[in-house]
Amino acid sequence: GATYRLELPKELRARGIHDVFHASLLRPHFPNDDRRFPGRQFHQLPHFGEQPREWAVDRIISHSGRGSDAEFEAQWSTGDVTWAPYRDVQHLQALTEYFEALGVSSAGQL
């Protein structure tokens, strides 16, 4: 069987990605279209690239659930909107501002 050794970025090698693949596993590369699939460029992936960028949460839009089991809808500085559990956003200024807008001081009051 034909195998190929690829030149992988050091970030992938550090994560244990092997650099030798069987030919049947390889496919042509087509660059991402950031207009159709935002946030998937190599430099936008966490912990990749020479100078990884940090994306910030601009604001919390809404929530679902109560207390520490709540999930929060977050709008990121990239414009993306995702849901995150309380444990992932509890330290954010955006959550404090969201609580203030609701007139509560903690997730326990949701």
Side-chain angles (χ1 to χ4, degrees):
T3 58
Y4 292 89
R5 183 176 303 273
L6 303 178
E7 291 182 25
L8 297 178
K10 65 181 177 186
E11 291 89 353
L12 291 178
R13 289 192 313 269
R15 290 176 181 234
I17 305 295
H18 197 62
D19 62 351
V20 177
F21 296 89
H22 189 270
S24 66
L25 297 174
L26 300 177
R27 303 285 183 268
H29 169 72
F30 299 101
N32 291 326
D33 182 348
D34 200 46
R35 294 169 294 155
R36 293 182 64 201
F37 305 104
R40 296 184 184 182
Q41 297 295 321
F42 185 73
H43 68 275
Q44 294 171 322
L45 298 174
H47 310 294
F48 284 94
E50 294 301 316
Q51 297 177 348
R53 298 178 184 177
E54 183 174 306
W55 303 109
V57 171
D58 280 341
R59 66 188 184 110
I60 302 294
I61 299 170
S62 66
H63 74 279
S64 177
R66 295 175 177 241
S68 60
D69 293 329
E71 299 255 332
F72 294 87
E73 188 177 20
Q75 181 173 8
W76 296 82
S77 59
T78 60
D80 294 334
V81 176
T82 62
W83 285 88
Y86 174 69
R87 70 179 175 276
D88 291 351
V89 298
Q90 65 184 345
H91 66 285
L92 299 177
Q93 177 63 31
L95 184 63
T96 302
E97 293 167 3
Y98 180 72
F99 286 163
E100 288 174 1
L102 293 178
V104 300
S105 60
S106 70
Q109 296 177 315
L110 294 175

